[in-house]
Amino acid sequence: DRLMLGLHLYGRAFSSDGVQAVRGQEVLDSLSGYLAAAIAEPHRLEPPLIKWDPTAKEHVISIPHQPHVSIYYPTGKSLAERLSLAREFGLSIGFWEIGQGMEYLFDLI
């Protein structure tokens, strides 16, 4: 008998309206919308903030034109953390919602 660690490749957006799942394309669309606004009015916008959350062991994206929204999204670093944990405890790995992530994540798996 073995335990399996289930991993997802989609993110979670936390806002005052609650929590919702976000696919890779939605994150890219959000960043593209921000980029379009930054080109139109570069003096008015702050850059998006992408930082590592050491507790969640995942990157968090804050986009200035979407106040009070934090997007936790898997990256190469967060997947490496989870894979290391699985190895440490001898766990099998299973992915769900595999088509919901960003394409580059498949290269890392």
Side-chain angles (χ1 to χ4, degrees):
D1 293 337
R2 289 191 77 168
L3 290 176
M4 180 179 285
L5 175 63
L7 300 175
H8 59 83
L9 297 178
Y10 58 87
R12 293 280 184 188
F14 293 82
S15 72
S16 57
D17 295 331
V19 181
Q20 61 183 348
V22 284
R23 298 184 309 265
Q25 190 58 52
E26 292 170 319
V27 173
L28 293 175
D29 290 346
S30 245
L31 290 170
S32 293
Y34 171 80
L35 183 58
I39 290 169
E41 299 183 74
H43 59 283
R44 295 189 64 204
L45 294 175
E46 298 175 37
L49 178 63
I50 301 173
K51 64 180 182 175
W52 179 253
D53 180 332
T55 303
K57 298 203 182 312
E58 197 150 72
H59 280 98
V60 185
I61 304 165
S62 299
I63 303 171
H65 77 283
Q66 295 177 344
H68 311 296
V69 176
S70 295
I71 301 170
Y72 283 73
Y73 201 84
T75 61
K77 183 174 180 176
S78 63
L79 284 176
E81 291 277 343
R82 286 158 177 77
L83 294 174
S84 175
L85 182 68
R87 275 192 296 277
E88 179 182 340
F89 289 98
L91 303 174
S92 297
I93 297 169
F95 291 95
W96 72 87
E97 300 293 339
I98 202 161
Q100 308 270 336
M102 291 187 194
E103 292 295 320
Y104 89 97
L105 293 174
F106 296 112
D107 295 336
L108 304 174
I109 300 170

